Amino acid sequence: EYHYPELSEITVAIESMNEEIGENLNQLEKQKQIRQEFFSNASHELKTPLTSIMGYTELLRTHTITDPKQVDRCLEHVAREGKHMTQLVNDILMVSKLESEEYRAPFSHISVREVLDGLLERFKVQQEKMNLNIVVDCQDLYVYANKGHIEGVFENLISNAIKYNVYDGTVSISCYASGKNMILKVQDTGIGIPQEDQEKVFQRFYRVDKQRSKVISGTGLGLSIVKHIVHFYKGSIELESKEQKGTTITLSLPILVHTIPED
Ligand code: ADP
C-alpha cells in the first residue's frame, strides 16, 4: 500500500535537496576561483622571465651592448630565463594534466630502483658541484602505477633535497615496503623550512623567502605536484624540517605489488 508523504515531509526533503545544491554550487564557485587564480599566477610567472628575455634581446638588437664580454653575459641571461620558462611550462602542464578529470594515467609495473638510478644519473652534475653525499637505501620494490607520476614524485623531492642543501651536505633516500605501501623518505642536511612556511610550501607557486628563492631556481610547483600525485593514489605525505638543520619528507603510497628479497 502506497504511503503518500505529508506536506511537511516533502518540505523537509526539498530543503535538504536545496542545501545539497547550494553546497555543490559553493564548491563549483570555489573551484572556479582556484582555477582563475592559477591562470593569473601562471601568466604572471611566465611574464617575468619573458620581460627579461625581451629586454636583453632589445639591448642586443639595437647594438646598445657591443662589448663581447657583456654580450656573452646578456646571452647567458637569455638562456637562463628561457630554461626557467621551459621548466615553468612543463610544471604547469603537469599540474593541468593531474587536474583534468579526463586524464587517465596509464598504469604499468615499475621497478622503483630503476627509476631512482635513472634520476640519480641526471643529478650527478649538481651533486658534484655541491660535493653532496647521496646515500641510497632502496629495497627492490615493484609498484603498479603511472610511471610519470612515480618519476615526478622522486624527481621533485630529490631535486629539492639537492637544491636546498649546503656544500658538503648529505641527501639520504630510503625506500621500503610496509604492508601494501611503498614508503619513500627523502632527507637532507640543507637550509630547512621555517615553521610558518611548512604548511604553505605545498601551495602552487609558493616559494619560501623571495631572497633565497632568487638564487636557487625553481617554479614553486614541485611540491604541489607531489601532493597532487599523493592524493591521486590516496597516500599520505609528511614534512619535518628545522632551519639550518634540514628537511625530511616521508611519503606513503598504497601501490606496492611485490618485493624481491635481498640475498
Ligand atoms: P621550487 O620549484 O621553488 O623548489 P617546490 O614546490 O618544490 O618549488 O618547493 C616550494 C618551496 O619550499 C621552495 O621554494 C623552497 O623554498 C621550499 N623547499 C622545498 N623543499 C625544500 C627542502 N628540501 N629544503 C628547504 N626548503 C625546501
Side-chain angles (χ1 to χ4, degrees):
E1 194 187 334
Y2 188 73
H3 155 73
Y4 287 97
E6 300 284 330
L7 189 57
S8 66
E9 283 178 289
I10 295 174
T11 316
V12 168
I14 290 175
E15 264 169 15
S16 108
M17 259 162 63
N18 270 342
E19 229 167 75
E20 206 175 303
I21 291 169
E23 189 75 30
N24 285 344
L25 280 176
N26 270 344
Q27 253 171 14
L28 274 179
E29 193 53 46
K30 227 183 249 165
Q31 276 172 7
K32 199 172 129 198
Q33 212 175 326
I34 290 172
R35 198 144 296 170
Q36 266 165 1
E37 214 171 281
F38 179 67
F39 276 119
S40 106
N41 279 336
S43 320
H44 174 79
E45 294 290 326
L46 284 168
K47 245 187 212 161
T48 314
L50 192 56
T51 306
S52 134
I53 286 175
M54 290 176 60
Y56 288 120
T57 318
E58 194 60 14
L59 288 178
L60 293 169
R61 196 181 64 85
T62 53
H63 305 288
T64 312
I65 285 179
T66 47
D67 172 46
K69 262 196 191 141
Q70 279 186 317
V71 169
D72 273 356
R73 211 175 304 148
C74 234
L75 287 171
E76 266 164 35
H77 277 298
V78 171
R80 207 185 47 210
E81 299 293 340
K83 204 171 139 203
H84 181 61
M85 282 185 84
T86 309
Q87 186 65 55
L88 262 168
V89 170
N90 284 339
D91 280 357
I92 289 169
L93 283 176
M94 184 76 182
V95 170
S96 96
K97 224 183 195 181
L98 285 167
E99 291 209 338
S100 76
E101 276 154 331
E102 315 90 77
Y103 179 57
R104 298 269 175 270
F107 277 34
S108 62
H109 292 275
I110 302 159
S111 152
V112 174
R113 230 186 227 172
E114 254 169 48
V115 169
L116 191 54
D117 287 346
L119 278 175
L120 291 179
E121 197 54 44
R122 278 177 41 203
F123 286 124
K124 214 139 219 152
V125 176
Q126 246 172 310
Q127 178 193 355
E128 275 163 18
K129 237 189 233 165
M130 291 171 76
N131 200 32
L132 294 178
N133 183 20
I134 298 190
V135 184
V136 178
D137 177 15
C138 183
Q139 274 183 326
D140 216 347
L141 306 178
Y142 283 79
V143 297
Y144 189 62
N146 175 262
K147 195 158 190 213
H149 288 166
I150 299 305
E151 283 173 344
V153 163
F154 276 79
E155 183 181 348
N156 282 304
L157 293 183
I158 296 170
S159 139
N160 283 349
I162 292 175
K163 276 197 300 187
Y164 302 106
N165 219 313
V166 289
Y167 193 80
D168 275 343
T170 301
V171 174
S172 311
I173 303 160
S174 74
C175 202
Y176 54 92
S178 164
K180 283 237 170 300
N181 295 293
M182 176 192 87
I183 313 287
L184 168 67
K185 196 181 239 181
V186 181
Q187 191 165 21
D188 66 62
T189 54
I191 56 179
I193 302 168
Q195 184 72 43
E196 67 268 24
D197 293 300
Q198 288 179 11
E199 286 266 309
K200 297 186 200 144
V201 290
F202 293 100
Q203 293 169 11
R204 295 137 152 189
F205 297 113
Y206 190 83
R207 305 197 71 206
V208 177
D209 181 0
K210 287 270 178 271
Q211 203 47 43
R212 76 173 192 178
S213 298
K214 229 186 233 169
V215 193
I216 304 166
S217 83
T219 62
L221 287 173
L223 285 180
S224 71
I225 289 173
V226 171
K227 195 179 156 186
H228 247 300
I229 295 171
V230 170
H231 269 259
F232 183 87
Y233 292 97
K234 302 192 169 59
S236 63
I237 185 164
E238 215 177 277
L239 181 147
E240 237 183 285
S241 188
K242 210 167 198 165
E243 275 183 275
Q244 314 308 330
K245 285 261 184 276
T247 304
T248 306
I249 292 194
T250 312
L251 294 190
S252 171
L253 295 175
I255 54 173
L256 192 69
V257 186
H258 60 94
T259 319
I260 295 177
E262 313 271 339
D263 351 285

